[in-house]
Amino acid sequence: MIFDIFKKKKINFKIFVLGCQRSGTTMMRLILNSHPKIKCYGERKAYSLLENYQKREGITGYQVPIWTELFSEYECIKELYEENDKIIFIFRDPKEVIASMVNLGCYQKNCYENDKKLKRNYLNFEAVPSVNKWMEDENRSFKERFEKDIKKYENEKLENVFKGICYWNYKNESFFEMKKYKWSILPVCYEDLVCNPVPELKKIFEFLELNWSKKVLNHHEIEHEECLPNKKMLGGTDPFRKIDTKSIKKWKLILDKEEIKLIDSKTNHNYEKLKNYI
């Protein structure tokens, strides 16, 4: 029919939500999933859906923080990115991230000597094949870079904090690797997002080339899939909690002066470098 000429072309692209765990990727997924034109999957479904990826109509998001560095390391993951796709890379104050990791017990003694223990303690779900491969390889690139340094802190008071430092750097440095490709990637600072949600969210949806919707401020008022039996999301995020600043500066209650000094000395360079991209 002649009217078909005037029909709007359907918009189809993927959104990848990346970043270090404990940085706000789940909150970002819930926000995106609240937009009328986006279906965004969390970690309990996203990995397996991408493993068996088939083109989908519309705008589909995938929260996949475990794959963050793999986007620049594994060809099979790189190939998931197609023209018009978008990457939202969320990063957070390393002191907040590491304090949260330590507080949750994610970095138990020798956890990097057996990555399957990390899977049990942190992921708490059956990993799909490419994640299993990552575990079986013992995350070689991470170990090649950090194993000697980590051994220096073995059985020391700062051992777990130092492991968190290495992991934060490893995950967030992948942003700079991804910038080498002609990919559409937006860095988002967690602290900026929760302190000034409206202007920050407007930037995000401008990047996604989507109209602003007030619904994204009310993700806590809708039902989201993938809740655990305790009504929380994987990682402990409460989907019924509105965007707020209650998690800001929590590190002050968890870290001591020695730990803070070590974290700042080992992460400030990358943290400031990330902030300069905003």
Side-chain angles (χ1 to χ4, degrees), residues 4 13 58 71 75 124 152 164 201 203 205:
D4 287 347
F13 63 86
F71 270 78
E75 288 301 323
N124 196 29
K152 293 176 187 176
L201 287 171
K203 285 181 194 175
F205 288 101

Side-chain angles (χ1 to χ4, degrees), residues 107-127:
Y107 289 85
Q108 296 184 0
K109 182 177 172 56
N110 299 325
C111 71
Y112 284 114
E113 290 181 15
N114 182 351
D115 284 334
K116 289 182 180 178
K117 188 184 290 184
L118 177 64
K119 172 184 167 184
R120 289 198 301 272
N121 291 339
Y122 184 72
L123 299 182
N124 196 29
F125 69 100
E126 281 302 313

Side-chain angles (χ1 to χ4, degrees), residues 10-155:
K10 287 187 177 179
I11 301 173
N12 301 296
F13 63 86
K14 299 189 293 297
I15 305 167
F16 299 102
V17 180
L18 305 179
C20 184
Q21 294 92 319
R22 316 309 303 164
S23 294
T25 60
T26 301
M27 181 183 71
M28 180 57 65
R29 175 253 162 167
L30 296 171
I31 289 169
L32 293 176
N33 197 46
S34 303
H35 191 280
K37 293 196 174 179
I38 301 174
K39 173 65 177 177
C40 193
Y41 294 98
E43 288 191 82
R44 298 185 76 197
K45 288 188 177 181
Y47 300 105
S48 56
L49 287 171
L50 287 171
E51 281 284 336
N52 305 292
Y53 182 66
Q54 295 179 344
K55 282 190 178 290
R56 297 167 180 267
E57 286 198 352
I59 304 165
T60 310
Y62 301 91
Q63 178 204 356
V64 284
I66 296 298
W67 283 1
T68 296
E69 72 283 358
L70 304 188
F71 270 78
S72 58
E73 291 182 8
Y74 280 31
E75 288 301 323
C76 63
I77 304 295
K78 286 181 190 177
E79 288 170 4
L80 286 171
Y81 185 95
E82 301 172 294
E83 188 179 6
N84 298 325
D85 287 349
K86 310 279 188 179
I87 296 173
I88 294 176
F89 192 104
I90 187 161
F91 68 95
R92 188 177 183 184
D93 184 327
K95 293 189 287 294
E96 299 282 16
V97 173
I98 295 163
S100 180
M101 288 173 171
V102 172
N103 200 39
L104 287 175
C106 298
Y107 289 85
Q108 296 184 0
K109 182 177 172 56
N110 299 325
C111 71
Y112 284 114
E113 290 181 15
N114 182 351
D115 284 334
K116 289 182 180 178
K117 188 184 290 184
L118 177 64
K119 172 184 167 184
R120 289 198 301 272
N121 291 339
Y122 184 72
L123 299 182
N124 196 29
F125 69 100
E126 281 302 313
V128 289
S130 65
V131 177
N132 275 328
K133 183 180 187 310
W134 181 68
M135 298 294 180
E136 289 161 8
D137 288 347
E138 296 184 332
N139 198 352
R140 286 171 296 178
S141 60
F142 179 90
K143 285 200 163 189
E144 286 169 5
R145 179 169 171 196
F146 295 111
E147 191 169 26
K148 287 182 181 178
D149 290 331
I150 287 174
K151 283 188 179 295
K152 293 176 187 176
Y153 284 86
E154 269 188 343
N155 303 314

Side-chain angles (χ1 to χ4, degrees), residues 65-261:
I66 296 298
W67 283 1
T68 296
E69 72 283 358
L70 304 188
F71 270 78
S72 58
E73 291 182 8
Y74 280 31
E75 288 301 323
C76 63
I77 304 295
K78 286 181 190 177
E79 288 170 4
L80 286 171
Y81 185 95
E82 301 172 294
E83 188 179 6
N84 298 325
D85 287 349
K86 310 279 188 179
I87 296 173
I88 294 176
F89 192 104
I90 187 161
F91 68 95
R92 188 177 183 184
D93 184 327
K95 293 189 287 294
E96 299 282 16
V97 173
I98 295 163
S100 180
M101 288 173 171
V102 172
N103 200 39
L104 287 175
C106 298
Y107 289 85
Q108 296 184 0
K109 182 177 172 56
N110 299 325
C111 71
Y112 284 114
E113 290 181 15
N114 182 351
D115 284 334
K116 289 182 180 178
K117 188 184 290 184
L118 177 64
K119 172 184 167 184
R120 289 198 301 272
N121 291 339
Y122 184 72
L123 299 182
N124 196 29
F125 69 100
E126 281 302 313
V128 289
S130 65
V131 177
N132 275 328
K133 183 180 187 310
W134 181 68
M135 298 294 180
E136 289 161 8
D137 288 347
E138 296 184 332
N139 198 352
R140 286 171 296 178
S141 60
F142 179 90
K143 285 200 163 189
E144 286 169 5
R145 179 169 171 196
F146 295 111
E147 191 169 26
K148 287 182 181 178
D149 290 331
I150 287 174
K151 283 188 179 295
K152 293 176 187 176
Y153 284 86
E154 269 188 343
N155 303 314
E156 300 290 337
K157 171 182 175 286
L158 296 171
E159 179 183 7
N160 287 343
V161 168
F162 189 72
K163 287 175 181 175
I165 288 168
C166 295
Y167 197 64
W168 186 93
N169 278 322
Y170 181 62
K171 285 285 186 178
N172 285 286
E173 284 174 355
S174 63
F175 170 82
F176 309 119
E177 291 300 311
M178 282 184 264
K179 286 293 289 182
K180 295 177 183 178
Y181 304 103
K182 293 180 179 179
W183 292 348
S184 184
I185 180 168
L186 178 73
V188 176
C189 177
Y190 172 88
E191 285 77 16
D192 291 347
L193 178 59
V194 297
C195 290
N196 298 291
V198 173
E200 291 301 313
L201 287 171
K202 284 186 175 180
K203 285 181 194 175
I204 291 168
F205 288 101
E206 182 179 354
F207 165 73
L208 296 174
E209 300 180 67
L210 292 174
N211 292 330
W212 165 251
S213 170
K214 289 184 179 179
K215 290 183 179 181
V216 299
L217 293 169
N218 301 309
H219 72 269
H220 58 287
E221 294 179 354
I222 67 172
E223 291 288 336
H224 295 275
E225 297 177 7
E226 304 177 57
C227 283
L228 297 170
N230 63 2
K231 303 299 182 183
K232 299 288 181 69
M233 309 307 292
L234 193 68
T237 299
D238 181 358
F240 302 105
R241 176 180 164 183
K242 64 174 67 174
I243 301 171
D244 61 50
T245 58
K246 290 178 183 177
S247 294
I248 299 286
K249 305 292 185 185
K250 270 197 172 181
W251 56 266
K252 291 185 175 183
L253 304 174
I254 299 167
L255 303 173
D256 63 29
K257 289 182 179 179
E258 190 179 7
E259 291 168 332
I260 293 165
K261 184 178 179 181

